[in-house]
Amino acid sequence: MAFDIDMIKAVYDQYPDRIAAARKAVGKPLTLSEKILYTHLWDGAATEAFERGKSYVDFAPDRVAMQDATAQMALLQFMQAGKKKVAVPSTAHADHLIQAKLGADRDLQESLNKNNEVFNFLSSVCNKYGIGFWKPGAGIIHQVVLENYAFPGGLMIGTDSHTVNAGGLGMVAVGVGGADAVDVMAGMPWELKFPKLIGVKLTGKLNGWTASKDIILKVAGILTVKGGTGAIVEYFGEGAKSLSGTGKGTICNMGAEIGATTSTFGYDESMRRYLKATGRADVVELADGVAEHLTGDPEVYAEPEKYFDQVIEINLDELQPHINGPFTPDLATPIGDMKEAAKKGDWPTKIEWGLIGSCTNSSYEDLTRAASIAKQAVDKNLKTKSEFGINPGSEQVRFTAERDGLLKVFEDLDATIFTNACGPCIGQWDRAGADKEEKNTIIHSFNRNFSKRADGNPNTHAFVTSPEMVAAMAIAGTLDFNPLTDTLKNENGEEVKLDPPTGLELPPQGFDVEDNGYQEPAKDGSGIEIVVKPDSDRLQLLTPFEGWNGKNITGAKLLIKAHGKCTTDHISMAGPWLRYRGHLDNISNNMLIGAVNAFNKATNEVKNQLTGETGEVPATARAYKAAGIPTVVVGDHNYGEGSSREHAAMEPRHLGVIAVVVKSFARIHETNLKKQGMLGLTFDKESDYDLVKEDDTFNFIDLDQFAPDKQLTLEIEHADGSKDTVKLNHTYNAQQIKWFEAGSALNLIRKKANA
């Protein structure tokens, strides 16, 4: 039986009446995305139509999921909320703190040795507050959620941007910061600006070397890393129905890379198959009872231009395999064009590593398709020219794959089987030689390929593709190899060609596992003590941020003017820094150390206006804070792109940054700044970014009149005494302004709990 089946039944019971109310309020047929959103309104049945991209709406999510790196800060905040138990089903998953180096068994044991304090903390907090805990080695959060918790028509949030993976089973699943998760776990509404809608019509059927991954790689090339911002991407058409459940998950997963709020598919036969195969026939029975409501209305899909804000059509019969990158996941290159693109871009063509796994592509189907290529290599007497690594998505996938001989196929090709965890995808990779920072190329089935992301080397050119293409390219060892047309010379000197991959959507003998790694929480956690040592360098109890005094903020100094792409990896790096995700002061020592200073094009080197000297960004921020001087960060387009990690907002808040002023924000990061009581503002004229100089002081002229839909005025005072006055835009509503006034959203929750 499925987890939380009573909750799922309750959701479906209210579907017919709430859909009817929504259809009446909107006055037209509904997309699937609208159905899910309108059935999950905090205030119950819809009485009005919300304006896409404008209306702030309160929702009631069905569940919350957290991964270990973000769960630490989320749960530290929840501990301040004054609640005895979470209000909705919630889980935490230990998957980010396991480093890939030698292989599964040794790496897992090493992680347990190093991170025991954190794992014990997470386990005890989960036990106390009624949260399910998936122990180290159980698997990657999003694969585990897909196997156990995702259900068609549900609404969930998670403290990881790739929570959107659950859209593969027809959910609206949204990545958020920990403060949003705290709201929901504390029994409060979750606020979201009602998303715009992008429809992707899929026709035809995948064939040959083309995989589900290629659909989202193609979409990323069309929409770019910010083209989906503020929108839900809804896939439909006969091509969508032909995809497997986990294939749909792959597509939804990488929707985070186009900035989309989430992505989703309508309930269909492939979802039924996957739910039944993962022991959830009871969910299928319930879903079938409301099946008409778990997909978009027929009129919507017949004339999508009338109902979506943007429509994209992709013919799967004609889609080519893609390889995206380097350094950004939206640089899309069809395999047939890669040889020329590599030459033009001066990309290293020798592939050092091929890596399969991550929350994007680590399902049983993914492993079978990649294994079919690996098996051919063994049979045709080929060896890999690149090093080769595999991260299974969950213990259930790993156990089943081992039982069915898939892992042996990879091992026969000298692949290293890493732990069921994120590993290299989020920088948890102890890669030999990475510290030399040599120019090189790797290829992987992950979702992100930002500079330094996988191994910390800024000169590693990382390319994103499907698992089967990773296998083929690792065998060839070169980026200019096209498995659709090219041959390889085997150990006997013979020219051989790889056949297209084959795979199994689901294991013929069913899934199996001896220990899935799940810890059920105590029914009564009141007697459980949570220990955080005062001298710990891994965990630190939080101190509430101070509220605003209601006056204009003046005399603020420029901390850094960031040039170009500034993702959450630039603002708060992962990799080795993951160890401090539960200690705000310690992890603040990585604040903005990856951001490029617009004035010297260097990283982690800014001017301290108090001394006139240059220094590291965190140290400079601490100097201003010690002197009682607030600071401002200025940035470029899509600032905060990437992960949901709220540390990228909490660290600047902790070190005295009061405002982040940019050309445009990524959705999650803008929300995280608001939640932590900061000013997230955008230039009314993008060219005003160019007015900011290295020695500038900032004065907010009319912050004392802060109000919704009202611009703010910023005076920029230059070192030579001249001044510029610019207008700044914001998206704060009345409630969000209260967060700023209180010092953070959490301060308001705690105040209400203590009232």
Side-chain angles (χ1 to χ4, degrees):
M1 188 173 77
F3 286 95
D4 310 307
I5 192 66
D6 290 338
M7 176 270 286
I8 296 171
K9 184 178 186 304
V11 171
Y12 288 158
D13 284 346
Q14 68 188 17
Y15 248 83
D17 289 344
R18 290 202 174 185
I19 292 289
R23 193 173 281 116
K24 181 179 178 181
V26 174
K28 60 182 180 180
L30 300 172
T31 65
L32 169 64
S33 304
E34 289 172 312
K35 289 181 178 181
I36 297 174
L37 292 174
Y38 276 106
T39 56
H40 285 84
L41 296 177
W42 179 260
D43 292 327
T47 57
E48 63 176 306
F50 298 108
E51 188 175 355
R52 297 176 191 170
K54 293 285 181 69
S55 301
Y56 279 98
V57 184
D58 285 343
F59 293 100
D62 300 315
R63 66 176 316 109
V64 172
M66 300 164 280
Q67 41 92 335
D68 52 354
T70 53
Q72 295 172 65
M73 198 57 70
L75 293 176
L76 283 164
Q77 291 178 85
F78 182 76
M79 288 165 61
Q80 292 190 13
K83 301 294 181 179
K84 293 182 179 180
K85 193 172 183 179
V86 291
V88 301
S90 304
T91 54
H93 304 252
D95 63 352
H96 275 57
L97 295 177
I98 302 169
Q99 190 174 56
K101 182 178 182 180
L102 301 172
D105 292 341
R106 286 181 288 181
D107 290 348
L108 178 58
Q109 187 56 54
E110 181 68 12
S111 175
L112 292 171
N113 294 341
K114 284 185 175 180
N115 302 301
N116 193 50
E117 179 186 7
V118 172
F119 292 146
N120 285 341
F121 168 76
L122 293 175
S123 175
S124 62
V125 175
C126 288
N127 226 355
K128 184 175 184 66
Y129 293 109
I131 301 168
F133 180 55
W134 290 81
K135 294 178 275 190
I140 304 171
I141 175 173
H142 310 304
Q143 179 66 30
V144 172
V145 166
L146 203 69
E147 291 175 2
N148 295 278
Y149 299 113
F151 67 97
L155 174 66
M156 71 172 286
I157 61 170
T159 61
D160 188 285
S161 56
H162 293 106
T163 300
V164 294
N165 189 81
L169 279 181
M171 296 194 85
V172 164
V174 184
V176 299
D180 276 357
V182 171
D183 282 354
V184 176
M185 291 190 295
M188 298 178 65
W190 170 61
E191 184 187 68
L192 178 72
K193 185 184 290 184
F194 203 89
K196 293 184 177 182
L197 300 177
I198 298 173
V200 179
K201 182 179 181 180
L202 302 179
T203 62
K205 191 173 184 179
L206 295 173
N207 60 85
W209 282 89
T210 311
S212 295
K213 184 66 163 276
D214 296 303
I215 297 172
I216 185 57
L217 295 179
K218 173 75 172 178
V219 170
I222 295 169
L223 289 176
T224 76
V225 292
K226 60 180 181 178
T229 302
I232 294 179
V233 182
E234 185 171 322
Y235 292 84
F236 62 95
E238 291 305 310
K241 293 178 182 177
S242 71
L243 303 172
S244 69
T246 51
K248 291 178 171 74
T250 291
I251 294 167
C252 293
N253 183 293
M254 270 198 73
E257 274 54 70
I258 56 173
T261 301
T262 192
S263 306
T264 195
F265 286 80
Y267 180 52
D268 62 14
E269 192 55 42
S270 72
M271 294 185 192
R272 290 185 179 93
R273 290 194 297 270
Y274 187 75
L275 286 164
K276 289 178 180 177
T278 50
R280 291 175 284 174
D282 47 355
V283 175
V284 173
E285 183 178 352
L286 292 173
D288 283 347
V290 290
E292 65 181 292
H293 302 308
L294 301 178
T295 189
D297 287 336
E299 300 93 329
V300 170
Y301 297 152
E303 298 182 278
E305 292 80 7
K306 288 185 177 181
Y307 302 98
F308 292 98
D309 298 291
Q310 181 180 354
V311 177
I312 297 168
E313 185 168 339
I314 299 174
N315 185 343
L316 302 186
D317 291 334
E318 301 172 355
L319 183 64
Q320 290 188 56
H322 277 60
I323 297 177
N324 285 25
F327 303 125
T328 185
D330 60 347
L331 182 55
T333 305
I335 184 63
D337 300 336
M338 179 50 77
K339 186 172 184 178
E340 184 61 30
K343 183 178 179 181
K344 184 178 178 181
D346 191 28
W347 302 332
T349 53
K350 181 185 177 185
I351 298 172
E352 304 289 345
W353 268 91
L355 296 155
I356 293 172
S358 88
C359 58
T360 324
N361 279 109
S362 55
S363 67
Y364 184 86
E365 181 183 32
D366 290 327
L367 294 185
T368 62
R369 286 178 66 84
S372 75
I373 303 302
K375 182 71 164 58
Q376 286 186 58
V378 173
D379 293 345
K380 295 179 180 183
N381 208 15
L382 292 165
K383 292 189 180 299
T384 52
K385 297 290 199 308
S386 311
E387 293 190 74
F388 198 21
I390 314 289
N391 281 86
S394 69
E395 176 57 16
Q396 179 167 269
V397 166
R398 187 212 64 80
F399 188 93
T400 305
E402 183 176 51
R403 180 201 67 191
D404 294 349
L406 298 178
L407 298 189
K408 185 177 186 306
V409 171
F410 292 121
E411 289 168 341
D412 287 345
L413 207 59
D414 293 327
T416 301
I417 310 299
F418 293 120
T419 314
N420 316 318
C422 303
C425 181
I426 44 90
Q428 283 287 56
W429 185 22
D430 189 357
R431 182 185 177 190
D435 56 334
K436 298 177 183 177
E437 297 194 350
E438 295 173 341
K439 188 176 179 180
N440 75 103
T441 284
I442 65 174
I443 192 163
H444 58 58
S445 70
F446 309 159
N447 37 48
R448 295 197 173 127
N449 57 347
F450 304 142
S451 175
K452 300 185 180 182
R453 171 86 178 181
D455 61 3
N457 178 1
N459 299 310
T460 292
H461 293 54
F463 293 86
V464 181
T465 190
S466 67
E468 47 267 56
M469 284 294 291
V470 170
M473 303 301 278
I475 291 163
T478 181
L479 198 59
D480 54 15
F481 171 69
N482 183 351
L484 284 70
T485 58
D486 298 347
T487 59
L488 295 168
K489 187 172 289 187
N490 70 6
E491 295 294 294
N492 300 329
E494 304 163 331
E495 293 291 332
V496 297
K497 191 169 184 291
L498 294 171
D499 300 321
T502 58
L504 296 169
E505 179 182 350
L506 298 164
Q509 299 177 59
F511 285 106
D512 197 8
V513 66
E514 285 184 353
D515 178 6
N516 63 6
Y518 177 66
Q519 171 190 289
E520 185 176 357
K523 291 209 169 22
D524 179 5
S526 59
I528 295 172
E529 183 182 1
I530 300 169
V531 178
V532 175
K533 298 177 182 177
D535 60 347
S536 171
D537 69 347
R538 298 293 301 275
L539 298 167
Q540 180 188 45
L541 295 175
L542 295 174
T543 301
F545 293 129
E546 290 186 9
W548 175 49
N549 64 8
K551 300 178 181 179
N552 286 321
I553 296 173
T554 59
K557 299 295 185 182
L558 176 70
L559 178 61
I560 185 172
K561 178 180 177 181
H563 170 76
K565 187 185 282 282
C566 191
T567 72
T568 49
D569 281 74
H570 296 87
I571 304 168
S572 176
M573 290 183 179
W577 289 96
L578 285 171
R579 68 180 279 106
Y580 298 121
R581 283 284 180 86
H583 197 295
L584 181 56
D585 193 57
N586 282 348
I587 198 168
S588 293
N589 289 323
N590 80 356
M591 185 192 72
L592 286 158
I593 64 175
V596 176
N597 184 345
F599 300 108
N600 58 16
K601 300 304 185 290
T603 58
N604 202 22
E605 188 178 309
V606 295
K607 184 173 183 178
N608 182 335
Q609 294 186 47
L610 300 178
T611 64
E613 299 176 352
T614 59
E616 296 178 345
V617 183
T620 304
R622 289 182 187 276
Y624 286 130
K625 182 180 179 181
I629 298 172
T631 51
V632 172
V633 170
V634 173
D636 214 317
H637 275 299
N638 208 29
Y639 184 89
E641 168 194 347
S643 169
S644 70
R645 67 190 67 149
E646 65 182 343
H647 298 76
M650 295 186 78
E651 293 172 32
R653 181 74 167 97
H654 176 63
L655 293 188
V657 176
I658 50 94
V660 178
V661 184
V662 300
K663 294 180 182 178
S664 65
F665 281 108
R667 175 190 64 85
I668 300 176
H669 187 65
E670 182 182 21
T671 301
N672 285 346
L673 292 172
K674 292 178 179 180
K675 286 279 185 176
Q676 300 304 332
M678 296 179 68
L679 293 170
L681 309 169
T682 55
F683 291 105
D684 184 51
K685 294 180 181 178
E686 290 183 4
S687 58
D688 287 345
Y689 168 91
D690 299 321
L691 297 175
V692 177
K693 296 179 171 57
E694 193 171 24
D695 293 316
D696 282 349
T697 300
F698 301 99
N699 303 309
F700 286 88
I701 303 301
D702 51 8
L703 185 61
D704 57 349
Q705 302 165 47
F706 194 15
D709 303 316
K710 184 179 185 297
Q711 288 184 319
L712 291 174
T713 307
L714 180 68
E715 181 184 78
I716 307 175
E717 189 177 336
H718 306 301
D720 63 3
S722 63
K723 297 178 181 179
D724 285 296
T725 301
V726 304
K727 291 293 185 179
L728 302 177
N729 299 323
H730 68 84
T731 60
Y732 287 75
N733 60 25
Q735 176 65 23
Q736 293 167 349
I737 290 174
K738 289 181 181 178
W739 299 344
F740 175 70
E741 292 171 347
S744 72
L746 181 59
N747 286 353
L748 281 183
I749 295 177
R750 186 171 50 253
K751 184 178 180 181
K752 290 178 182 178
N754 294 332

